[in-house]
């Protein structure tokens, strides 16, 4: 019999608050999401990203995810009021024991959520990558996980998972601005041409 717990991290909700108001977009457990923010309101915008971590027993033996760690990315902040099951631990990482007493039989899953906040400026748009890992596991047989080591940050193991969000300036605004500039130039050119033709015509009449 084999013991194996895996974790899958995904983004399930993004909430954006600024002078325009509050907008919430929900996702069906996406690994990569993108959100565009109006340039005028970029500075002063607060973004709340909800992550859902699903722990699944991929082995034969029942067991527990005793502790989960989230390696909070630089630029994001943690609010304990939004995350009562989480706490800040060693190295500034986030930890939860919320699933420690939830036994997972073979094939069963349990979920835990985490909400992180990002205060936007005009210079901190781009990719935000967030990784979570099973920091400790347990089963009554004392069998080690067959294909991963808890809390070792080793990519490629099934007990570690990453979800990404790209925060950008809305591209449509740039397109609208450029289009408006082009239209203004064309109108200005047309007006100038009409005036020039009218002046030239008057000069010709005066010469005659």
């Amino acid at each position: 019999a084999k013991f194996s717990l895996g974790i899958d991290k995904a983004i399930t909700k993004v909430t954006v608050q600024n002078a325009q108001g509050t907008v919430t977009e929900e996702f069906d457990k996406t690994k990569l999401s993108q959100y565009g923010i109006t340039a005028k309101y970029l500075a002063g915008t607060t973004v709340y990203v909800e992550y859902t971590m699903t722990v699944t027993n991929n082995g034969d033996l029942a067991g527990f995810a005793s502790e989960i760690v989230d390696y909070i990315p630089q630029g994001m902040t943690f609010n304990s009021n939004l995350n009562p099951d989480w706490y800040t631990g060693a190295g500034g990482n986030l930890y939860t024991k919320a699933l420690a007493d939830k036994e997972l039989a073979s094939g069963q899953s349990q979920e835990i959520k985490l909400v992180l906040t990002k205060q936007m400026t005009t210079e901190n748009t781009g990719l935000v990558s967030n990784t979570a890992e099973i920091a400790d596991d347990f089963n009554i047989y004392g069998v080690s996980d067959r294909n991963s080591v808890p809390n070792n940050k080793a990519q490629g193991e099934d007990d570690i998972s990453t979800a990404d969000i790209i925060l950008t300036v809305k591209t449509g605004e740039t397109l609208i601005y450029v289009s408006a500039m082009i239209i203004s130039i064309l109108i200005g050119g047309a007006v100038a041409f009409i005036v020039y033709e009218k002046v030239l015509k008057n000069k010709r009449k005066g010469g005659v």
Side-chain angles (χ1 to χ4, degrees), residues 126-142:
L127 176 69
V128 179
S129 185
N130 191 8
T131 300
E133 184 179 17
I134 296 176
D136 191 25
D137 57 26
F138 168 78
N139 62 79
I140 62 174
Y141 308 99

Side-chain angles (χ1 to χ4, degrees), residues 140-183:
I140 62 174
Y141 308 99
V143 176
S144 298
D145 194 295
R146 64 173 178 170
N147 55 10
S148 57
V149 178
N151 206 32
N152 67 344
K153 294 184 179 181
Q155 297 294 331
E157 296 182 350
D158 67 351
D159 71 340
I160 190 169
S161 182
T162 299
D164 300 322
I165 182 170
I166 304 173
L167 298 172
T168 64
V169 178
K170 283 187 177 178
T171 55
E173 294 179 358
T174 302
L175 180 60
I176 292 172
Y177 175 78
V178 172
S179 298
M181 288 292 293
I182 292 173
I183 292 171

Side-chain angles (χ1 to χ4, degrees), residues 1-6 56-64 103-108 138-147 158:
K2 299 176 181 178
F3 178 62
S4 178
L5 296 184
T56 302
N57 187 339
N58 299 316
D60 308 311
L61 302 176
F64 303 82
E103 185 179 46
L104 294 175
S106 178
Q108 287 187 332
F138 168 78
N139 62 79
I140 62 174
Y141 308 99
V143 176
S144 298
D145 194 295
R146 64 173 178 170
N147 55 10
D158 67 351

Side-chain angles (χ1 to χ4, degrees), residues 9-14 25-34 49-52 128 163-166:
K9 183 170 192 171
I11 294 172
T12 45
K13 186 188 298 183
V14 176
E25 185 172 352
E26 296 188 1
F27 301 90
D28 185 20
K29 293 186 178 179
T30 180
K31 302 290 290 183
L32 174 64
S33 65
Q34 180 173 346
V49 184
E50 179 190 85
Y51 300 93
T52 297
V128 179
D164 300 322
I165 182 170
I166 304 173

Side-chain angles (χ1 to χ4, degrees), residues 24-134:
T24 297
E25 185 172 352
E26 296 188 1
F27 301 90
D28 185 20
K29 293 186 178 179
T30 180
K31 302 290 290 183
L32 174 64
S33 65
Q34 180 173 346
Y35 196 94
I37 303 170
T38 302
K40 180 180 178 180
Y41 302 101
L42 185 60
T45 291
T46 303
V47 179
Y48 300 87
V49 184
E50 179 190 85
Y51 300 93
T52 297
M53 283 147 277
T54 305
V55 178
T56 302
N57 187 339
N58 299 316
D60 308 311
L61 302 176
F64 303 82
S66 306
E67 188 173 54
I68 296 172
V69 56
D70 184 272
Y71 304 113
I72 181 170
Q74 184 177 4
M76 299 200 84
T77 57
F78 168 74
N79 186 333
S80 59
N81 293 326
L82 299 176
N83 305 280
D85 293 326
W86 292 81
Y87 63 94
T88 303
N93 298 319
L94 307 177
Y95 294 85
T96 181
K97 297 179 184 292
L99 303 183
D101 61 347
K102 299 183 184 300
E103 185 179 46
L104 294 175
S106 178
Q108 287 187 332
S109 299
Q110 287 283 347
E111 293 183 350
I112 183 72
K113 295 182 182 295
L114 173 66
V115 178
L116 296 180
T117 307
K118 185 175 179 67
Q119 191 65 44
M120 301 301 299
T121 69
T122 57
E123 300 178 350
N124 67 349
T125 56
L127 176 69
V128 179
S129 185
N130 191 8
T131 300
E133 184 179 17
I134 296 176

